Amino acid sequence: MRLKRGKPIELHHNRAGARYLKNIVYGGLDGIITTFAVVAGVAGAALNSGIILILGFANLIADGISMAIGDYLSTKSENEYHEMERKHEKEEVRKYPAAEKEELIKLYIKKGMKKSDAVKLVNDLAKNKKIWVETLISEELDIAPIEESPIKNAIFTFLSFFIFGLIPVSVYLIDYFYADLISNVFIITIILTAIALFLLGIFKVKVTGRNWLYSGMETLIIGGVAAGAAFLVGKLLAGMVG
């Protein structure tokens, strides 16, 4: 809430957008880093743009789908676990309401609340069974009451992985169709990927809450290490083939 001219003004947060921000950030980071690692490895082996595109797009599709499926199953499992615990707590509240109240009172007292305040709060919560059950789940098991859509999570993860993962192969795509239009293709790819990594690291601050510069540099360095290792492996393998 923010005061303006003595009048309270509610700040409305975009909860739907924030809910999928994690999928966008980490899907994008994985897409950039893994795809650039593939590109760097093939470039290190001194193979042509066609090979880079084949392996790059194969990585985009295969890893993107794999990440999306993993996200779908993970979210679905969390939702199912939450629903199971909700049913369990509903049954406990129905059978042993006094014991459940006492348990919640002890939790609040342990957190530093006065017993009289804890008793009043729990009695107020118990007036609404749904809120009471969700509070028990949240306080006892530390499970957030918000359920996410497994399908939407999977879609956001895949799209973010694919879109950001296109950045490392985009220069090679142009070079493939318009040969000699771009000189130093790999250097341009490195620059674009580094910029994307740094910006996505800054964007990640919305999830982590850390310093933007530190987050950007950290993401850039991690991506650079992965890409550098892949490039060296490509060089090594090219020498072995030769």
Side-chain angles (χ1 to χ4, degrees), residues 14-31 67-68 70-76 78-79 144 146-150 152-161 164 200-201 203-209:
N14 187 354
R15 303 178 91 183
R19 184 177 300 179
Y20 301 108
L21 184 61
K22 175 176 67 71
N23 304 85
I24 294 171
V25 170
Y26 293 110
L29 284 174
D30 206 338
M67 278 198 68
D71 209 332
Y72 172 85
L73 293 175
S74 174
T75 305
K76 188 171 182 289
E78 288 179 5
N79 288 347
I146 299 175
E147 291 190 359
E148 298 181 346
S149 166
K152 287 183 179 179
N153 272 7
I155 290 171
F156 274 98
T157 297
F158 176 79
L159 289 177
S160 181
F161 183 97
F164 283 100
L200 200 51
F203 190 57
K204 189 175 67 173
V205 170
K206 292 184 177 292
V207 175
T208 63

Side-chain angles (χ1 to χ4, degrees), residues 82 85-90 92-93 100-109 111 113 117-146:
H82 187 190
E85 290 299 333
R86 182 188 287 114
K87 289 179 180 178
H88 173 74
E89 290 298 340
K90 279 183 179 179
E92 291 288 304
V93 165
E100 289 299 307
K101 281 185 180 180
E102 186 63 27
E103 191 173 353
L104 199 52
I105 289 169
K106 288 179 180 178
L107 280 171
Y108 285 134
I109 292 173
K111 289 185 177 183
M113 189 177 288
D117 293 335
V119 171
K120 184 180 183 303
L121 176 59
V122 171
N123 285 332
D124 288 340
L125 288 170
K127 293 175 183 178
N128 187 309
K129 190 174 180 180
K130 182 179 179 181
I131 294 176
W132 187 10
V133 169
E134 292 296 344
T135 302
L136 283 167
I137 295 172
S138 177
E139 294 293 347
E140 290 181 4
L141 303 173
D142 196 24
I143 300 175
I146 299 175

Side-chain angles (χ1 to χ4, degrees), residues 39-58:
V39 169
V42 180
L47 301 177
N48 61 45
S49 295
I51 301 297
I52 290 176
L53 289 175
I54 291 171
L55 295 179
F57 277 105

